[in-house]
Amino acid sequence: MSSNPKLEDNLRAAILAEPDAVLDDKDLMQALVTANERARGDNIIDLRGIAMQRLEARLDRLEDTHRSVIAAAYENLAGTNQVHRAILRLLEPVEFEDFLRTLGNDVAEILRVDKVTLVLETTLIQDDPAVDKLGGVLTVAEPGFIDSYLTYDRSGQPRDVTLREIHHSNRRIYGDKADQLRSEACLKLDLGEGRLPGMIVMGAKDPRHFSPQLGTDLLAFFAGVFERSMRHWLS
């Protein structure tokens, strides 16, 4: 009787019937290669096997890169759709108060942020019941406040779009939600010649939601559309 183990007849028949299934199974082929190496012993070096292992490692890295690229492209497409939906919703109101409420409610929900505030600089700081009725979506500040806010954690000129973690929440901007928010996007607005600047501030509870490593093109586009709408309302 032979000392070599024999395959069961039904298993052998299945392999002979579909040999391509064996070749296409990565784990099965790896097991066969490993068994072949053991059979040859430790004194024989299989250069072809080493080359295949390196090629497999490179293929695995390429597959990981491919998945990362696909995931990034999907996220970018989803972000583009969100911004487009937010802009379309922002263009619907026919009254200025509704326009601001849409920014604070519908736009915040579409963009999946926890708080949106519009900051306008003015030389006249006084309590205004009309501002209070807007539910915290609008706040007014003295001239120079916006540039100071945008650069409080760094030197240099203020950027048009600033993404960062929140270490010290500003209640003037975030109101009673200040203690809950951990990252923000600040969009500086040019409201036209002869007017003081404005700023949209978006706050999120997730500290990584507005990471400085993220792209700013979509937010810059949103800010550009918003500031043009604001010029229309202010005129």
Side-chain angles (χ1 to χ4, degrees), residues 49-230:
I50 294 174
M52 288 298 296
Q53 289 177 356
R54 291 181 178 177
L55 286 174
E56 286 177 358
R58 289 183 62 188
L59 179 60
D60 288 341
R61 290 196 297 270
L62 286 172
E63 288 179 345
D64 290 341
T65 301
H66 179 69
R67 283 192 290 267
S68 299
V69 170
I70 293 297
Y74 177 80
E75 290 179 2
N76 187 59
L77 178 61
T80 301
N81 290 336
Q82 280 183 310
V83 170
H84 287 174
R85 286 172 53 213
I87 289 173
L88 290 175
R89 181 66 186 92
L90 199 61
L91 296 177
E92 292 178 4
V94 295
E95 299 291 339
F96 185 57
E97 288 189 8
D98 291 338
F99 172 76
L100 294 181
R101 288 195 181 92
T102 297
L103 174 68
N105 297 318
D106 296 4
V107 169
E109 182 177 348
I110 292 171
L111 297 180
R112 297 178 183 174
V113 296
D114 299 291
K115 176 68 175 177
V116 177
T117 304
L118 172 63
V119 182
L120 297 178
E121 290 186 353
T122 178
T123 55
L124 300 175
I125 304 294
Q126 58 185 10
D127 293 334
D128 189 341
V131 173
D132 296 336
K133 287 195 305 180
L134 293 172
V137 68
L138 174 63
T139 187
V140 294
E142 67 280 359
F145 173 84
I146 290 174
D147 283 355
S148 176
Y149 185 80
L150 292 174
T151 58
Y152 77 81
D153 59 343
R154 64 178 185 84
S155 58
Q157 294 296 315
R159 302 188 184 105
D160 291 336
V161 179
T162 299
L163 308 179
R164 62 191 177 190
E165 286 191 39
I166 298 175
H167 299 291
H168 304 287
S169 299
N170 190 308
R171 289 191 171 275
R172 188 173 187 176
I173 292 177
Y174 293 118
D176 56 5
K177 287 191 175 182
D179 295 336
Q180 306 172 31
L181 305 177
R182 294 294 177 266
S183 65
E184 66 181 359
C186 306
L187 319 180
K188 189 175 181 180
L189 305 174
D190 178 3
L191 301 180
E193 186 177 355
R195 295 192 181 103
L196 292 170
M199 177 176 64
I200 296 174
V201 185
M202 302 178 182
K205 295 178 181 178
D206 183 354
R208 295 179 298 277
H209 192 88
F210 290 118
S211 168
Q213 287 76 34
L214 297 177
T216 60
D217 291 349
L218 289 174
L219 290 175
F221 176 67
F222 177 84
V225 174
F226 186 88
E227 66 186 9
R228 286 162 175 77
S229 297
M230 278 295 295

